[in-house]
Amino acid sequence: MSSDRYASDTAVDPAAASRNTRPPTATAALGAGIVVLDDRGRVLLGLDRSGVWELPGGGIEPGESIEEAAARELAEETTLVTGAAEVEVLGLLLDTVTSPELTRMTAATVVRTFTGTPAVAEPEKIRRWEWTSPDALPEALFLPSAQVLAVWRPDLALPPAPFHRYTLGRPSS
């Protein structure tokens, strides 16, 4: 079989071919939802201006790992500081709850080690941050946050939603 079979009239470097360098049309958004636990096992929730409670979290920037994005978003939203090495990725969620044209992929993460005291860093979005017992979660939860909490603690009584859940295996010690 000749290698000429795959040659084209316009030989190009395969690594530079437009198919390898041109991103596809965006139909998904990638983010991280962060379950932040204090030393009493309480979860940090923020009261959104819309009246629902949510976990800290947000989009993953190009070139960032999930862990780096979670640490950055935690600092940007709450002023709490943690390192990427302190972020544990628990699983992935896929949904189209907020838009039928856009699939959202949320990495469910947990942070147990941080420094600082929660403070509202984005007052246009969040009214206040509160530590909440997992057994006393508010009913008015942002649906993606509720699903991240369900990945962390499947035993919690949380509203069902049309999410695809992918739990990641824990590394053996």
Side-chain angles (χ1 to χ4, degrees), residues 5-18:
R5 174 180 170 159
Y6 298 103
S8 70
D9 292 336
T10 57
V12 296
D13 175 5
S18 65

Side-chain angles (χ1 to χ4, degrees), residues 109-170:
T109 67
V110 65
V111 169
R112 295 177 177 89
T113 305
F114 56 86
T115 59
T117 301
V120 174
E122 298 174 326
E124 69 282 3
K125 296 178 184 176
I126 298 293
R127 292 181 189 170
R128 67 181 182 272
W129 292 103
E130 287 187 13
W131 293 107
T132 307
S133 167
D135 299 320
L137 294 170
E139 286 187 32
L141 275 174
F142 181 50
L143 212 45
S145 291
Q147 298 310 302
V148 169
L149 288 164
V151 170
W152 168 63
R153 287 265 314 265
D155 61 305
L156 293 173
L158 295 165
F163 283 69
H164 298 285
R165 293 166 192 82
Y166 303 90
T167 304
L168 301 179
R170 304 286 198 293

